[in-house]
């Protein structure tokens, strides 16, 4: 900062101002062919000295400068390692300034993500040919105002030539969350005081390692088969869920349970029935409530009493999943017959209930068959999801494949963009097909 300021004249220029030399080692200033004696304008001499600063501004012909003059100096030592620069959009910047907290989430071997309370952002480091200076405070031209000159010292505390870019993730992966919760699933055959084979997690534990925002995590837990038990979040195993639903559907068909019917279920009566039917087992009330919330519709009677009715779609999908997981493939007619036996009276299966849960194939050799293909068990990565789908079936109708992409593509437009990005298309007999990966 204390070096000479020097501008070399442009060859052939007749302008005297084109050649300007400021010598900090003498008491003279050369401007063009003229010398101004008695002026010392070294950077050191202008520091905290408003008069010398004014002389420097006059020499530079900056006559219209008013009000605050900010002198930028470099701190010693620079603390560049203590700062990271992040590029954010104006809306996020406003939220940060209002006090919203940003959190980097994940473990040491993860690619970092940055989370607000509601959103998750993918983090990518970027380099620039420019150098960014980090100052605790600085005023821009519209903030300085007029009036007499006065000096303000501004310290540069860090320098960077790189920064972090953010990309908002519209879909976050649930793989890590499911893996952690499956370490210690609640199983139906588990004793009342089980020996903990895996680690149990609290909400705070999950927030430390699962790469999603708090709001996204709460929403994911709401849709997963989990309960809060003794301060921990426990996932219900598939066998536990199957057994609970079996208890409910059998009670609906049991004449000895008048308060438990397909269209009218009393949750207290069902809890008592489960306890009577399983005297050696303590079924948590949270598990009973989870089953009712996910497989029933809530009804408020005219007198204000709460009751529940079985949800046809939820019950049929759970029963179909239980049946399909028991074999690699079923003849469709055999599947329908077995499923009909598993459903309580008054609940009817519809083909649309199988969307995203099973694949129905019809061939000359095997006839009409059905097999398990649950979207919840498929990869979260777009390309890997499509790889799996094309390994199952070489070509897909658009109306069929979209049922297995709904969690990755929340809108039909997003589905079309994803398929256009990765897949080849063809039209056969007026029907549009997705035929292969590019």
């Amino acid at each position: 900062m204390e070096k000479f300021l020097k501008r070399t004249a442009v060859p052939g220029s007749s302008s005297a101002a084109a050649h300007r030399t400021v010598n900090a080692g003498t008491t003279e200033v050369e401007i063009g062919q003229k010398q101004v004696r008695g002026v010392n304008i070294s950077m050191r001499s202008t520091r905290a000295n408003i008069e010398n600063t004014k002389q420097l501004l006059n020499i530079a012909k900056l006559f219209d400068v008013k009000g605050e003059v900010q002198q930028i100096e470099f701190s010693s030592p620079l603390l560049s390692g203590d700062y990271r620069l992040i590029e954010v959009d104006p809306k996020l910047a406003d939220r940060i300034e209002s006090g919203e907290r940003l959190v980097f989430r994940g473990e040491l071997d993860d690619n970092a993500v940055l989370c607000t309370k509601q959103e998750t952002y993918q983090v990518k480091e970027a380099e620039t040919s420019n150098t960014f200076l980090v100052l605790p405070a600085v005023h821009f031209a519209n903030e300085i105002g007029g009036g007499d000159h006065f000096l303000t010292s501004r310290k540069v505390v860090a320098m960077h030539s790189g920064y972090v870019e953010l990309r908002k993730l519209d879909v976050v992966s649930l793989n890590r969350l499911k893996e952690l919760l499956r370490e210690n699933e609640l199983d139906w055959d588990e004793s009342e005081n089980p020996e903990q084979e895996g680690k149990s997690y609290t909400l705070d534990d999950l927030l430390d390692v699962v790469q999603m925002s708090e709001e996204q995590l709460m929403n994911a837990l709401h849709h997963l088969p989990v309960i809060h038990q003794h301060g921990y979040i426990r996932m219900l195993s598939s066998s536990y869920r199957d057994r609970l639903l079996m208890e409910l559907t059998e009670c609906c068909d049991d004449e000895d349970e008048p308060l438990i019917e397909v269209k009218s279920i009393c949750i207290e009566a069902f809890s008592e029935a489960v306890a009577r039917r399983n005297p050696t087992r303590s079924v948590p009330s949270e598990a009973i409530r989870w089953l009712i919330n996910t497989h029933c519709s809530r009804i408020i009677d005219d007198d204000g009493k709460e009751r529940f009715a079985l949800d046809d779609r939820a019950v049929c999908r759970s029963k179909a999943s239980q049946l399909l997981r028991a074999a690699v493939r079923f003849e469709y007619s055999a599947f329908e017959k077995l499923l009909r036996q598993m459903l309580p009276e008054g609940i009817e299966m519809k083909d649309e209930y199988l969307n995203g849960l099973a694949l129905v194939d019809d061939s000359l050799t095997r006839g009409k068959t059905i097999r398990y293909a649950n979207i919840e068990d498929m990869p979260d990565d777009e390309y890997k999801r499509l790889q799996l789908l094309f390994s199952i079936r070489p070509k897909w109708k658009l109306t069929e494949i979209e049922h297995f992409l709904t969690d990755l593509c929340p809108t039909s437009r997003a589905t079309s963009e994803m398929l256009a990005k990765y897949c080849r298309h063809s039209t056969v007999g007026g029907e549009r097909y997705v035929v292969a990966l590019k």
Side-chain angles (χ1 to χ4, degrees):
M1 294 297 291
E2 297 178 10
K3 293 183 178 180
F4 302 149
L5 301 177
K6 184 173 182 180
R7 292 182 184 175
T8 305
V10 178
S13 172
S14 60
S15 171
H19 177 70
R20 181 178 300 153
T21 301
V22 179
N23 192 327
T26 67
T27 58
E28 66 180 27
V29 176
E30 180 183 350
I31 302 178
Q33 303 299 320
K34 298 181 180 180
Q35 292 184 347
V36 180
R37 295 186 176 277
V39 180
N40 187 325
I41 56 170
S42 70
M43 294 298 104
R44 187 184 302 277
S45 70
T46 61
R47 186 177 299 165
N49 188 318
I50 188 62
E51 295 303 323
N52 286 353
T53 301
K54 288 180 181 179
Q55 291 179 354
L56 180 62
L57 294 174
N58 289 335
I59 292 170
K61 296 187 177 181
L62 299 175
F63 304 118
D64 57 344
V65 175
K66 303 292 183 183
E68 181 183 29
V69 177
Q70 300 175 90
Q71 290 186 325
I72 296 178
E73 303 179 31
F74 287 84
S75 298
S76 181
L78 284 174
L79 304 176
S80 300
D82 294 347
Y83 294 85
R84 297 298 296 272
L85 304 183
I86 302 177
E87 183 182 46
V88 299
D89 60 47
K91 290 183 179 179
L92 182 55
D94 291 340
R95 288 160 53 188
I96 295 171
E97 289 181 345
S98 67
E100 184 164 347
R101 183 166 167 256
L102 299 182
V103 183
F104 284 98
R105 288 206 168 102
E107 298 187 298
L108 292 178
D109 55 348
D110 291 329
N111 293 322
V113 299
L114 185 68
C115 298
T116 66
K117 188 174 180 62
Q118 295 86 18
E119 297 110 6
T120 300
Y121 294 86
Q122 185 182 52
V123 173
K124 180 181 178 181
E125 291 194 276
E127 294 289 333
T128 176
S129 58
N130 298 320
T131 299
F132 297 111
L133 305 181
V134 180
L135 300 90
V138 68
H139 288 158
F140 294 97
N142 60 342
E143 301 173 310
I144 290 176
D148 294 335
H149 289 129
F150 65 94
L151 287 177
T152 303
S153 177
R154 302 295 187 189
K155 294 285 187 180
V156 175
V157 296
M159 296 172 58
H160 278 287
S161 59
Y163 62 97
V164 171
E165 292 179 330
L166 303 180
R167 183 176 70 85
K168 184 178 177 180
L169 297 176
D170 295 320
V171 178
V172 292
S173 173
L174 301 184
N175 284 344
R176 170 70 59 78
L177 177 60
K178 292 178 181 178
E179 288 173 3
L180 295 176
L181 294 176
R182 282 172 180 155
E183 291 178 9
N184 193 20
E185 284 185 322
L186 188 61
D187 193 79
W188 185 261
D189 296 327
E190 185 178 286
S191 61
E192 189 169 343
N193 295 304
E195 182 179 347
Q196 300 292 325
E197 296 183 358
K199 180 180 178 180
S200 294
Y201 294 88
T202 65
L203 180 61
D204 288 338
D205 293 334
L206 294 176
L207 283 172
D208 283 340
V209 295
V210 176
Q211 294 186 292
M212 62 181 71
S213 69
E214 182 176 350
E215 187 173 292
Q216 289 169 327
L217 177 60
M218 296 300 294
N219 184 59
L221 292 174
H222 177 73
H223 290 91
L224 288 175
V226 299
I227 62 172
H228 293 261
Q229 187 182 36
H230 309 307
Y232 294 98
I233 298 173
R234 300 288 303 276
M235 177 177 277
L236 304 178
S237 67
S238 57
S239 63
Y240 199 105
R241 304 194 304 267
D242 293 342
R243 181 59 183 266
L244 269 183
L245 183 57
M246 184 192 75
E247 294 285 341
L248 180 57
T249 54
E250 287 185 354
C251 284
C252 288
D253 288 337
D254 191 345
E255 294 181 355
D256 294 332
E257 300 292 348
L259 297 179
I260 307 173
E261 299 176 346
V262 169
K263 299 299 181 183
S264 180
I265 299 170
C266 173
I267 191 170
E268 292 81 9
F270 176 58
S271 297
E272 293 171 1
V274 171
R276 286 196 308 271
R277 293 161 64 94
N278 302 274
T280 62
R281 189 174 307 281
S282 176
V283 178
S285 60
E286 296 88 351
I288 298 290
R289 175 58 68 173
W290 171 85
L291 177 70
I292 296 298
N293 288 341
T294 55
H295 290 77
C296 299
S297 302
R298 184 169 177 260
I299 301 171
I300 302 297
D301 291 331
D302 294 337
D303 57 1
K305 290 185 178 180
E306 180 185 58
R307 61 185 176 90
F308 297 87
L310 286 184
D311 182 289
D312 290 25
R313 182 180 185 276
V315 172
C316 288
R317 283 180 67 87
S318 291
K319 288 292 186 179
S321 174
Q322 179 184 355
L323 181 57
L324 291 169
R325 281 185 272 114
V328 175
R329 189 186 298 266
F330 282 92
E331 290 184 0
Y332 196 81
S333 58
F335 166 76
E336 285 185 311
K337 182 178 179 180
L338 290 171
L339 184 60
R340 198 176 300 115
Q341 295 172 359
M342 297 171 66
L343 294 174
E345 292 185 15
I347 300 294
E348 295 292 334
M349 178 66 185
K350 296 180 181 179
D351 289 343
E352 64 194 60
Y353 295 160
L354 297 174
N355 290 340
L357 177 66
L359 278 176
V360 178
D361 297 307
D362 198 350
S363 66
L364 294 175
T365 55
R366 289 180 173 175
K368 192 174 183 180
T369 60
I370 185 170
R371 51 181 162 162
Y372 183 72
N374 194 339
I375 188 175
E376 295 177 1
D377 300 328
M378 294 183 178
D380 288 331
D381 180 78
E382 293 179 350
Y383 192 80
K384 291 180 179 178
R385 173 75 61 86
L386 291 171
Q387 276 186 319
L388 174 63
L389 292 174
F390 282 113
S391 69
I392 295 173
R393 184 180 288 177
K395 69 176 182 178
W396 292 80
K397 292 181 181 179
L398 285 175
T399 53
E400 293 173 337
I401 197 171
E402 64 185 8
H403 296 308
F404 296 95
L405 303 174
T406 52
D407 57 332
L408 301 180
C409 305
T411 64
S412 57
R413 178 179 178 180
T415 302
S416 299
E417 290 175 350
M418 176 179 166
L419 294 177
K421 178 180 179 181
Y422 293 111
C423 303
R424 295 187 176 91
H425 298 73
S426 68
T427 302
V428 180
E431 183 78 44
R432 189 167 171 79
Y433 286 86
V434 184
V435 294
L437 291 171
K438 290 181 178 178

